[in-house]
Amino acid sequence: MANPGGDTGSNGTLHNCKKQRSTSQDEKHTSNKVGKEGQQNGNSHFYAKTPVASFEEPPLHALVTTYMGYGIATLFGHFRDFLRNSGIEKCNAAVEREEQKHFVPLYQDFENFYTRNLYMRIRDNWSRSICSPPGPLFDVMERVSDDCNWSFRFTGKIIKDVINIGSYNFLGLADKYDESMRTVKDILETYGVGIASTRQEMGTLDKHKELEDLLAKFLNVEAAMTFGMGFATNSTNIPVLVGKGCLILSDELNHTSMVLGARLSGATIRTFKHNNMQCLEKLLRDAIIYGQPRTGRAWKKILILVEGVYSMEGSIVNLPEIVALKKKYKAYLYMDEAHSIGSMGPTGRGVREYFGLDPEDIDVFMGTFTKSFGASGGYIAGKKDLVDYLRVNSHSAAYAAPMSPPVAEQIIRILKLLMGLDGTTQGLQRIQQLVQNIKYFRSKLKKMGFIIYGNDVSPVIPVLLYHPCKVAAFSRHMLERKIAVVVVGFPATTLAEARARFCVSAAHTRQMLDTVLEAIDELGDLLALKYSQQRKS
């Protein structure tokens, strides 16, 4: 994947695949084209077929009442906007200054309708401040609002020992200081915090080199490069790999950072239905047959963008079949393992290890250190030629600050833990404990009668709530029970698929999980959230 050629400054053109998504049929396809992997421990891991992802359809009454709720909220929103414009109700939103009333509007008033009239009513469920490490238990700063959530003030009270079931702390390694972190403290004293330069100038340290060499060994690839920010790893490097005259085939549920990177590249973008191999193959076949629009020339490059574990759905990429398709049609594969690295596979090496595939089957590995590693930043790994090309051409390498030395040391420490280079088996024990916690938590929720998305081995567990009012009520009632959850709604999800997104950690004890499950069960009855028609006895 060398010079993309052409301008990379304009937005790509978006095309949608017409084919409808099947709820599970594409996940059921088997793939025998799975290569044997060479691990440092000498083990290989095979999966005969992709595990089935659950996307159960809700009952009709849930959808009808959800849309009715949005409709009623919209009517009241227009009425309140009328009151604000008439001066009857105070407007707390940003407004244009009187002296600039003839200017082009800086604040798009109508576009902020949803934020102003619905989000503000339930805004207290997001951006809560914590004042402790994000371990299995943390402390939350209590806050109240005197103006219907337009602003908040802290009361000075601390809610102690809240169960954290929302952070991406999959391996439980983001916790308070202990003696195992002494090397991080030593690096802080030796190197300081900041570097005050870029990687291409004077910002590459020996610690960066040590981390990248160890990471390449961990992933079983030729080379790796690290970046200071996970989001920027996607958004600033995808435009370096593809440009005008190239084609990007992107899963419809890809993360915003990948969507932004694709749009910035100037390449043509076509989306395929989530994990739908028929849709992807149709796009690949059409791309080969018809070439570029208007000219019919062959695409300079075709790049498939997928994630290992999808953060909103909890589903796992159908990697064996995607690898088979990319080989069949000579396309490149870019895989974001932000949520799967450290949490998937028998030794935490991600989805590629989980399926037992050869590292060379994926052209570009991408991942972040903000989840399982309890740190920050991201990486891209693969062939040495690819990484060398990025060292010269990456916007992050040229313009962004590199990873802080203590953060690099934290990642090195965790990599050694997972690889057993620290002389212990704690890394493997944490991975095994995570798998047990995931299976236990998911199975209990299913038996209770909730609709849950994703695969049974995914650490991300979305529980569908649907109604926006139930989203707010669920989060508030859980906090009253000293349980912190993440609730998600439009525009992060589709309008009718609001949900609570649980993230299980290896640090969660069985008692903690049972406490959370008991609270969820109570609220499921109180708020009528048990929509599943596949409830197990």
Side-chain angles (χ1 to χ4, degrees), residues 40 207-227 233 341-342 348-349 352 365-369 373 377-382 387 391 403 408 411-412 414-416 418-419 421:
Q40 277 102 0
K207 275 291 152 187
H208 295 140
K209 177 64 175 172
E210 179 184 352
L211 169 58
E212 289 168 354
D213 290 345
L214 187 62
L215 180 62
K217 184 179 179 182
F218 176 71
L219 296 174
N220 201 16
V221 295
E222 293 180 5
M225 182 177 181
T226 58
F227 303 88
T233 304
I341 192 70
R349 286 170 167 84
R352 191 271 308 168
F365 288 91
M366 180 273 170
T368 65
F369 303 113
F373 291 82
Y379 68 85
I380 285 184
V387 176
R391 292 190 194 280
M403 185 179 290
I411 301 167
I412 291 172
I414 303 306
L415 284 172
K416 289 180 178 179
L418 294 176
M419 298 169 73
L421 299 179

Side-chain angles (χ1 to χ4, degrees), residues 198-448:
T198 67
R199 289 293 300 268
Q200 288 189 0
E201 294 172 346
M202 302 178 69
T204 298
L205 304 180
D206 56 345
K207 275 291 152 187
H208 295 140
K209 177 64 175 172
E210 179 184 352
L211 169 58
E212 289 168 354
D213 290 345
L214 187 62
L215 180 62
K217 184 179 179 182
F218 176 71
L219 296 174
N220 201 16
V221 295
E222 293 180 5
M225 182 177 181
T226 58
F227 303 88
M229 181 181 178
F231 189 98
T233 304
N234 275 330
S235 60
T236 64
N237 286 303
I238 291 176
V240 179
L241 299 176
V242 289
K244 189 176 181 180
C246 298
L247 174 65
I248 292 176
L249 301 180
S250 177
D251 190 293
E252 65 177 350
L253 297 181
N254 277 340
H255 190 263
T256 304
S257 60
M258 301 178 77
V259 174
L260 178 60
R263 289 176 177 173
L264 291 174
S265 71
T268 299
I269 306 166
R270 293 175 181 165
T271 59
F272 59 93
K273 293 295 180 181
H274 178 53
N275 257 351
N276 190 313
M277 297 302 102
Q278 285 84 0
C279 185
L280 175 58
E281 182 165 20
K282 182 179 184 301
L283 291 175
L284 283 166
R285 188 187 300 114
D286 289 348
I288 299 299
I289 294 173
Y290 301 112
Q292 299 183 41
R294 293 187 297 275
T295 65
R297 294 178 180 175
W299 296 101
K300 295 179 180 178
K301 202 179 302 178
I302 300 176
L303 179 65
I304 303 171
L305 298 182
V306 295
E307 293 187 52
V309 171
Y310 290 83
S311 60
M312 287 296 170
E313 310 301 311
S315 54
I316 300 172
V317 64
N318 191 344
L319 191 58
E321 291 210 21
I322 289 181
V323 167
L325 287 176
K326 82 105 180 176
K327 289 180 177 179
K328 179 179 179 180
Y329 293 97
K330 305 296 187 294
Y332 291 105
L333 177 58
Y334 182 112
M335 183 169 65
D336 180 342
E337 292 221 71
H339 296 84
S340 53
I341 192 70
S343 65
M344 294 292 299
T347 61
R349 286 170 167 84
V351 171
R352 191 271 308 168
E353 182 192 41
Y354 176 79
F355 285 111
L357 296 173
D358 192 293
E360 294 192 359
D361 288 336
I362 293 89
D363 300 290
V364 186
F365 288 91
M366 180 273 170
T368 65
F369 303 113
T370 53
K371 281 81 178 176
S372 296
F373 291 82
S376 63
Y379 68 85
I380 285 184
K383 293 289 187 182
K384 186 177 184 299
D385 290 344
L386 166 72
V387 176
D388 288 345
Y389 177 76
L390 290 176
R391 292 190 194 280
V392 176
N393 295 280
S394 171
H395 302 297
S396 288
Y399 303 110
M403 185 179 290
S404 175
V407 173
E409 179 60 30
Q410 161 73 357
I411 301 167
I412 291 172
R413 184 179 74 87
I414 303 306
L415 284 172
K416 289 180 178 179
L417 182 77
L418 294 176
M419 298 169 73
L421 299 179
D422 63 338
T424 72
T425 59
Q426 289 187 25
L428 290 177
Q429 290 173 6
R430 286 179 180 268
I431 295 169
Q432 292 167 3
Q433 184 62 51
L434 174 62
V435 173
Q436 292 176 16
N437 287 350
I438 291 169
K439 291 181 178 179
Y440 178 77
F441 197 76
R442 275 186 172 269
S443 64
K444 290 292 184 179
L445 288 174
K446 286 183 178 180
K447 289 179 181 179
M448 291 176 187

Side-chain angles (χ1 to χ4, degrees), residues 183-204:
T183 57
V184 179
K185 181 181 178 182
D186 294 341
I187 292 298
L188 175 62
E189 293 174 349
T190 304
Y191 290 83
V193 177
I195 299 177
S197 186
T198 67
R199 289 293 300 268
Q200 288 189 0
E201 294 172 346
M202 302 178 69
T204 298

